[in-house]
Amino acid sequence: MKVHEYDVFLNENRIPYLRQIRDTGMTDADELCSPQTVNDTVRRLYHVEQLPEEHIWLLALDAKDHMIGIFEISRGTYNQTAVIPAQIIQRALLCGAFGIILVHNHPSGDPEPSEEDRLITIRVKQAAELYGVELLDH
């Protein structure tokens, strides 16, 4: 099965649903088995080293760590972006994810997570656990 980039839209009754944005060129057989594989995948799809602002992506995985979808969650400024855990969990549930990986870039080039990065990781992990979804990495 092909892996697609999705976004969430509202139908005429204001109920959220997934809409395919584009084909990523990947299949669900492409395992995301290491941080390096995740890094390489996001770099290939989005050329993150060239982006002037922070972006956050959600990679949705099945129970065998095969990617089933990818979402751009947020686009921010040079040094920050907004993250709302409910948006992340909504997207994970809509696509039937067993696990999720959050990825974001630092346009400054400093790969060290900020204190805000650490706090949002904790908040998303707690929210995901409530719904039986595992935050595998951020």
Side-chain angles (χ1 to χ4, degrees):
M1 183 171 94
K2 290 184 177 184
V3 175
H4 299 286
E5 181 176 6
Y6 295 99
D7 207 345
V8 175
F9 293 86
L10 298 176
N11 69 14
E12 64 277 357
N13 296 318
R14 305 208 40 83
I15 297 172
Y17 71 94
L18 293 182
R19 183 187 302 167
Q20 176 185 326
I21 302 298
R22 71 179 175 122
D23 179 0
T24 65
M26 298 178 65
T27 68
D28 62 356
D30 297 323
E31 283 190 57
L32 298 175
C33 54
S34 71
Q36 187 61 49
T37 306
V38 171
N39 183 25
D40 293 346
T41 299
V42 174
R43 282 180 178 274
R44 181 176 56 80
L45 291 173
Y46 298 103
H47 307 286
V48 297
E49 65 280 352
Q50 298 173 358
L51 297 175
E53 63 274 317
E54 278 196 19
H55 292 247
I56 296 179
W57 296 274
L58 166 67
L59 282 58
L61 289 81
D62 67 13
K64 295 188 179 190
D65 293 338
H66 298 137
M67 189 163 63
I68 56 176
I70 188 166
F71 300 83
E72 182 177 321
I73 297 295
S74 179
R75 180 182 298 197
T77 66
Y78 180 74
N79 64 350
Q80 66 182 359
T81 190
V83 178
I84 300 170
Q87 288 179 305
I88 293 167
I89 302 311
Q90 177 192 54
R91 284 153 178 78
L93 294 174
L94 282 171
C95 72
F98 176 81
I100 57 174
I101 297 173
L102 292 179
V103 179
H104 80 276
N105 64 323
H106 286 171
S108 67
D110 181 2
E112 288 300 312
S114 66
E115 184 60 29
E116 291 82 12
D117 293 342
R118 289 183 181 92
L119 291 173
I120 196 61
T121 300
I122 292 167
R123 288 180 56 217
V124 171
K125 183 175 180 65
Q126 290 170 340
E129 286 174 351
L130 288 173
Y131 291 94
V133 176
E134 187 176 358
L135 175 62
L136 300 169
D137 200 359
H138 174 203

